Amino acid sequence: MDSFFIPQRICWWRVLFLLSIFQDYLSNMLDCPPTCSCSPTEIYCNKSDNGISFPLFSLQDTGNNGNNSIEDLFKNITSIHIENWTGLQTLKEVDIELYTGLQRLTIMNGNLRVIQARAFSKNPHLRYINLSKNPLTTLSWQLFQNLQLSELRLEDVVFECGCDIRWIQLWQQRGEAGLHNQLLFCTNGAARIPLQTMNISLCDLPDISVTHSNLTVIEGDRVTVTCNGSGYPLPEVDWTVNDLHSINTHQSNVYWPKVHSINLTLVNVSRDDNFYMLTCIAENKVGMANASIQLTVYFPPTILKLDEPERRHETCIEFTVRGNPQPTLRWFYRDKLIPPSDYIRTDMDTYQDYLEGCLNFKNPTHHNNGNYTLEASNFLGVATKTVYGHFLNAPFSEDYDYNGTPTPTITVTHRPEEDTFGVSIAVGLAGFACVLLVVLFVLINKYGRRSKFGMKGPVAVISGEEDSASPLHHVNHGIITPCTLDAGPDAVVIGMTRIPVIENPQYFRHGHNCNKPATYVQHIKRRDIILKRELGEGAFGKVFLAECYNLSPTKDKMLVAVKTLKDPTLVFSQTLKDPTLAARKDFQREAELLTNLQHEHIVKFYGVCVDGDPLIMVFEYMKHGDLNKFLRAHGPDAMILVDGQPLQTNGELGLSQMLHIATQIAAGMMYLASQHFVHRDLATRNCLVGNGLLVKIGDFGMSRDIYSTDYYRVGGHTMLPIRWMPPESIMYRKFTTESDVWSFGVILWEIFTYGKQPWFQLANNEVIECITQGRVLERPRVCPKEVYDIMLGCWQREPQQRLNIKDIQKILYALGKATPVYLDILG
Ligand code: AMP
């Protein structure tokens, strides 16, 4: 990904001008070290040093601290370059501890001989270190163990051959930190040999083993686990027990000739250590190995919360229960078991060993008032708690008896939406219909043209406004965004249609652009990610629910969704010579792109984990999964199956909920369009649903598998979502913001059919035939005319005549606000 989001023609003079302004400001407070030049983010010293050991700003006593603290000014420095300095012989922690935002450090062609053990401990963002041409004789890997180095340059540093630098040889072999691209040497007495050929015996990475992989204990138990580290040099071995709640004691350290063994005893094991990973680390000069034991702690249930129904909503008794194994819940009303029914049911979610949820009532009345007892049990015990449920609603014409089934006094049965629906007709109809008619009238008059192809199909009831910000190839705000593409050589022919084979240039962008802003992709350590369960599978790897530590500044750990890439060469850079390396670079670019996309209706991207395989991307966890599954689960055919038996429906989505979903996707698309980002694969399967019907666009190019029938395979790997594509994308591989709008029309259709596959009755080649001939999807049975008009506005054959996403969002929002109001479902 190269700079989609910054002006293309930022000139150097402009950058220099801005820097000089800031430099002036900075120089009011701090003095640039002598013989160096400084900008707000860089210190550059390439002249002789006057004997100074390390370039530090000196403070000017101006009495004016401005808005930035001194720490901030140091923190803003991301790059230090020191060349030809002879005074710097030992690099100490104190030298660079203030530069906490430092990303690049070069100390080259100097007199650096020693780097202190903790020298980089305050510079966690260091990515690039260049120590070339220094008389260093040795270097420890431990200096870098907490950094995510992308490059370590050591050219012309001639180390002494020996076990101390075996790690550099291993890193070279593994291709870590760019060391494999460097020709390094070491001296063996008088001889100078390439490091790659150094042969040292009894010098290798430690081996490690632990007594268990999983350990299940009952709360209060005492348990001992053992870790053995072996190898030459004999490693130091230790358990990491940070944040462990159980009382723990390190017991014996036993040193055998080849094994260093260490016991850990947990006394009075605590439930708060359920899921804890006991990790053991073995370290020697060559490197580190670790092994973990997952702790499972069984404990009896406790009811942490049982709340009276909230007066405002009056339909839910909220509870939180904790226990392991997961407790079974039962509810009692006046000492009688409440059987599951459509009228009273338990909805809950599990999070670790917590169960959180609601006893939900459908239209509760005064008949439901009374004591409700929750019983939670597992094999270790039973907990009960009682709460008074007071439902204040005046009785409807529908009453319920204690267990929630309608009593014989029922005279009318109807859905709650219909109550409000009817009442609102009188109030809302007149006002909203007037507004809508005026809007429609204006739009029809202005844009209601037929396709110039004169084909049956997209009649322009509401059609597209000439979008001032699109088509994107007309825009020249200096944004590098070719949103239409030329036909390439790879294509397949289906019937009369030539389908080009394509990749999204926004993911597969090569070359360097000097205007590119430095995107800081968060790197997450593998040990901070603890997988919980599988959420799904895409074509290129599995998606897991995981706990991620040290991600949020306020929470010690949080739930995330992690996407694993089992073979990155399948996704990225399939055609390059070194697919693995190129794939990693593409992975990095995609991560940069995702880092830059930030909006409330775009799924949050937290960062990547690249230390080892598989490559991982970390996203916010969206509790209800993908929108297509969600729609199907909330459609008329949905059943919850319990032990294979149908039990109850999930509750059909109502009109206002459907509009709410669509409005949010449109808002996400507005943002993508504003970033000149063409998605190319908008569909409900690529949207995610979170709490409270929050919907976000959630996939940017990697899902092709579980919904493989939604894609049409053309040439090798390429799969096209033809059922969501407009004619010009199918025929000329032209993808634009307007083609995304077409796909949005199909998303609307999916929403109003509760997740049906578009053109489900047709085979792929028939679909291509249909779309290219100008046929459009039929109006879904529950779709109001006004909404179908939006679909038709998205499916105009001429891209310029399609509605623009901003208008679509506005109309949907207005419809949603006015709902329930009379929307013409039957007309
Ligand atoms: P993908 O490969 O992105 O299509 O993901 C496969 C499946 O994993 C999706 O269909 C979702 O059900 C699930 N999934 C993906 N991302 C998330 C997420 N952020 N939160 C929850 N579930 C997800």
Side-chain angles (χ1 to χ4, degrees):
M1 190 221 55
D2 275 15
S3 58
F4 276 87
F5 313 117
I6 55 148
Q8 188 178 14
R9 293 182 221 295
I10 290 181
C11 301
W12 275 113
W13 64 262
R14 224 192 291 175
V15 174
L16 291 174
F17 175 66
L18 288 173
L19 288 185
S20 71
I21 293 177
F22 195 91
Q23 207 167 344
D24 283 350
Y25 166 67
L26 193 70
S27 65
N28 284 336
M29 307 180 61
L30 293 173
D31 262 348
C32 185
T35 77
C36 299
S37 50
C38 301
S39 81
T41 57
E42 290 187 20
I43 301 176
Y44 191 87
C45 315
N46 69 344
K47 298 186 198 113
S48 127
D49 53 28
N50 299 330
I52 299 172
S53 66
F54 195 85
L56 264 186
F57 286 121
S58 56
L59 192 57
Q60 266 194 3
D61 188 14
T62 59
N64 169 20
N65 249 2
N67 290 327
N68 286 17
S69 66
I70 300 298
E71 287 95 66
D72 283 343
L73 294 169
F74 275 96
K75 198 164 117 191
N76 288 338
I77 300 292
T78 57
S79 170
I80 297 180
H81 183 108
I82 304 168
E83 210 176 320
N84 303 326
W85 276 31
T86 49
L88 176 51
Q89 295 190 8
T90 302
L91 182 66
K92 307 184 207 78
E93 187 182 348
V94 287
D95 291 333
I96 49 173
E97 67 182 359
L98 289 174
Y99 298 107
T100 52
L102 195 61
Q103 294 175 15
R104 298 174 68 87
L105 175 66
T106 296
I107 302 173
M108 62 183 285
N109 204 16
N111 202 12
L112 185 65
R113 286 159 195 278
V114 179
I115 302 181
Q116 274 191 351
R118 293 179 43 79
F120 303 127
S121 61
K122 302 282 169 49
N123 316 96
H125 303 296
L126 267 176
R127 300 279 172 270
Y128 172 95
I129 299 180
N130 186 347
L131 303 170
S132 311
K133 297 186 186 166
N134 278 297
L136 283 163
T137 49
T138 190
L139 199 61
S140 162
W141 65 270
Q142 275 142 326
L143 277 169
F144 312 110
Q145 68 174 322
N146 295 319
L147 303 179
Q148 304 282 342
L149 277 191
S150 57
E151 206 162 343
L152 174 62
R153 302 218 69 89
L154 297 173
E155 281 119 338
D156 291 319
V157 177
V158 185
F159 296 107
E160 278 168 21
C161 302
C163 195
D164 283 0
I165 57 156
R166 169 95 168 100
W167 69 271
I168 304 182
Q169 193 185 39
L170 285 179
W171 281 32
Q172 268 194 322
Q173 285 162 11
R174 293 202 300 248
E176 267 185 52
L179 284 166
H180 57 298
N181 297 323
Q182 300 169 43
L183 197 53
L184 304 179
F185 294 90
C186 66
T187 53
N188 201 350
R192 191 173 137 130
I193 59 166
L195 185 60
Q196 278 162 350
T197 63
M198 181 178 82
N199 193 0
I200 304 282
S201 54
L202 297 182
C203 176
D204 233 317
L205 281 170
D207 283 323
I208 192 164
S209 64
V210 284
T211 42
H212 309 72
S213 57
N214 292 306
L215 182 61
T216 303
V217 287
I218 292 177
E219 188 173 42
D221 276 0
R222 175 193 180 95
V223 67
T224 300
V225 288
T226 305
C227 174
N228 295 320
S230 59
Y232 294 104
L234 191 62
E236 280 305 308
V237 181
D238 206 0
W239 287 99
T240 56
V241 287
N242 306 338
D243 306 324
L244 189 69
H245 295 84
S246 314
I247 301 163
N248 59 88
T249 51
H250 277 139
Q251 287 187 342
S252 42
N253 265 299
V254 183
Y255 291 89
W256 306 95
K258 287 190 199 164
V259 182
H260 176 186
S261 184
I262 182 165
N263 286 342
L264 171 70
T265 299
L266 306 184
V267 185
N268 194 7
V269 173
S270 154
R271 67 183 60 189
D272 293 329
D273 291 331
N274 192 18
F275 304 119
Y276 190 90
M277 280 286 189
L278 294 166
T279 301
C280 180
I281 292 176
E283 280 181 11
N284 65 13
K285 287 176 176 183
V286 187
M288 183 258 268
N290 62 20
S292 296
I293 300 177
Q294 159 107 50
L295 201 60
T296 302
V297 183
Y298 282 162
F299 55 94
T302 45
I303 297 173
L304 302 174
K305 178 171 119 174
L306 188 65
D307 285 350
E308 269 191 38
E310 215 184 297
R311 297 275 150 114
R312 201 155 51 83
H313 300 302
E314 300 171 343
T315 59
C316 154
I317 297 180
E318 255 187 276
F319 62 86
T320 304
V321 173
R322 197 173 173 203
N324 194 29
Q326 184 176 319
T328 307
L329 303 187
R330 295 197 302 171
W331 288 93
F332 296 85
Y333 178 74
R334 293 183 191 152
D335 298 330
K336 279 195 184 152
L337 184 70
I338 305 177
S341 75
D342 268 359
Y343 301 94
I344 304 184
R345 66 159 199 245
T346 308
D347 291 322
M348 63 184 178
D349 287 312
T350 48
Y351 171 65
Q352 296 185 342
D353 42 33
Y354 289 85
L355 288 177
E356 280 181 356
C358 268
L359 180 66
N360 268 319
F361 295 76
K362 193 169 176 187
N363 288 353
T365 71
H366 61 292
H367 288 289
N368 298 94
N369 290 348
N371 277 337
Y372 288 83
T373 301
L374 171 61
E375 176 201 271
S377 59
N378 67 14
F379 79 94
L380 288 169
V382 183
T384 57
K385 206 164 187 172
T386 300
V387 72
Y388 186 73
H390 188 195
F391 300 96
L392 293 177
N393 275 5
F396 286 83
S397 52
E398 184 178 340
D399 284 348
Y400 300 87
D401 67 14
Y402 71 88
N403 64 14
T405 48
T407 62
T409 58
I410 295 173
T411 49
V412 183
T413 317
H414 56 193
R415 301 205 329 229
E417 304 94 274
E418 288 164 356
D419 285 338
T420 37
F421 182 76
V423 173
S424 306
I425 287 176
V427 185
L429 179 61
F432 178 72
C434 281
V435 173
L436 202 64
L437 280 174
V438 170
V439 172
L440 289 179
F441 180 72
V442 170
L443 288 173
I444 289 166
N445 267 328
K446 206 170 168 191
Y447 304 110
R449 285 165 283 168
R450 270 184 176 272
S451 155
K452 79 169 176 194
F453 292 87
M455 288 183 179
K456 177 183 156 213
V459 180
V461 177
I462 305 176
S463 184
E465 189 175 337
E466 239 80 271
D467 180 2
S468 57
S470 64
L472 293 171
H473 48 273
H474 289 167
V475 180
N476 189 0
H477 302 310
I479 311 284
I480 313 164
T481 313
C483 293
T484 60
L485 298 172
D486 296 321
D490 302 332
V492 288
V493 177
I494 300 148
M496 296 299 288
T497 311
R498 182 174 181 278
I499 299 192
V501 178
I502 38 165
E503 287 179 334
N504 191 340
Q506 287 163 127
Y507 303 121
F508 302 91
R509 186 156 284 272
H510 296 275
H512 184 73
N513 185 298
C514 62
N515 294 328
K516 177 178 166 181
T519 298
Y520 177 58
V521 175
Q522 169 111 15
H523 283 249
I524 295 164
K525 295 207 176 77
R526 199 158 294 256
R527 66 163 185 260
D528 282 343
I529 299 173
I530 292 170
L531 302 186
K532 306 254 86 176
R533 68 179 160 87
E534 207 182 299
L535 291 172
E537 186 159 22
F540 307 105
K542 295 191 166 166
V543 183
F544 293 94
L545 173 67
E547 270 175 348
C548 191
Y549 287 77
N550 304 320
L551 194 56
S552 149
T554 51
K555 279 189 249 160
D556 150 21
K557 60 185 169 187
M558 60 190 284
L559 281 181
V560 293
V562 305
K563 287 191 175 182
T564 57
L565 268 184
K566 58 183 174 217
D567 182 358
T569 58
L570 288 176
V571 192
F572 302 116
S573 295
Q574 295 158 15
T575 54
L576 296 182
K577 273 193 194 136
D578 181 352
T580 307
L581 185 65
R584 278 192 172 250
K585 284 193 174 152
D586 281 332
F587 181 83
Q588 170 71 16
R589 284 191 200 102
E590 168 140 6
E592 286 176 13
L593 177 136
L594 290 167
T595 303
N596 283 321
L597 291 179
Q598 290 181 23
H599 185 263
E600 56 191 316
H601 294 296
I602 304 290
V603 72
K604 237 187 246 132
F605 174 65
Y606 288 125
V608 293
C609 173
V610 290
D611 53 342
D613 281 320
L615 298 178
I616 282 176
M617 287 189 165
V618 182
F619 292 86
E620 113 186 79
Y621 170 52
M622 300 288 283
K623 199 159 123 186
H624 297 294
D626 74 72
L627 175 59
N628 189 270
K629 207 168 55 191
F630 182 85
L631 290 168
R632 287 168 189 256
H634 292 82
D637 304 327
M639 282 283 185
I640 294 177
L641 295 180
V642 171
D643 298 333
Q645 298 300 312
L647 180 69
Q648 59 190 105
T649 68
N650 256 343
E652 261 174 69
L653 288 175
L655 178 56
S656 68
Q657 289 159 317
M658 290 173 162
L659 289 170
H660 184 52
I661 292 170
T663 310
Q664 296 177 76
I665 299 170
M669 283 179 61
M670 261 170 72
Y671 169 76
L672 292 182
S674 76
Q675 299 297 310
H676 307 279
F677 183 97
V678 180
H679 188 292
R680 297 166 160 237
D681 194 5
L682 288 166
T684 56
R685 67 180 166 276
N686 286 332
C687 299
L688 292 162
V689 187
N691 263 336
L693 207 60
L694 176 65
V695 178
K696 302 191 179 194
I697 298 172
D699 201 296
F700 291 84
M702 287 197 292
S703 78
R704 295 280 185 283
D705 198 33
I706 44 170
Y707 293 103
S708 56
T709 54
D710 284 346
Y711 294 86
Y712 191 75
R713 190 183 286 281
V714 289
H717 287 293
T718 306
M719 311 262 271
L720 291 178
I722 48 161
R723 292 164 195 268
W724 284 259
M725 279 161 62
E728 79 272 15
S729 302
I730 294 178
M731 294 191 297
Y732 314 118
R733 79 183 206 181
K734 203 166 158 186
F735 289 89
T736 57
T737 295
E738 291 77 7
S739 62
D740 276 353
V741 164
W742 176 290
S743 309
F744 180 78
V746 183
I747 287 184
L748 269 182
W749 187 91
E750 287 184 274
I751 295 172
F752 281 83
T753 56
Y754 298 97
K756 282 212 171 100
Q757 189 190 44
W759 305 108
F760 56 90
Q761 67 283 33
L762 301 182
N764 282 331
N765 50 351
E766 294 168 332
V767 173
I768 292 170
E769 219 65 57
C770 265
I771 296 175
T772 52
Q773 282 175 16
R775 271 186 58 193
V776 294
L777 291 159
E778 278 175 15
R779 175 174 158 190
R781 201 174 46 82
V782 298
C783 176
K785 183 174 178 305
E786 287 82 341
V787 176
Y788 191 57
D789 284 341
I790 301 176
M791 293 182 204
L792 295 177
C794 296
W795 297 332
Q796 290 294 303
R797 191 178 183 92
E798 291 290 4
Q800 298 85 343
Q801 288 191 4
R802 288 178 203 150
L803 283 172
N804 76 43
I805 193 65
K806 210 165 151 190
D807 291 340
I808 293 173
Q809 202 270 350
K810 268 194 212 149
I811 299 171
L812 284 169
Y813 182 72
L815 289 175
K817 267 187 105 171
T819 303
V821 70
Y822 183 67
L823 287 179
D824 182 11
I825 292 190
L826 300 169

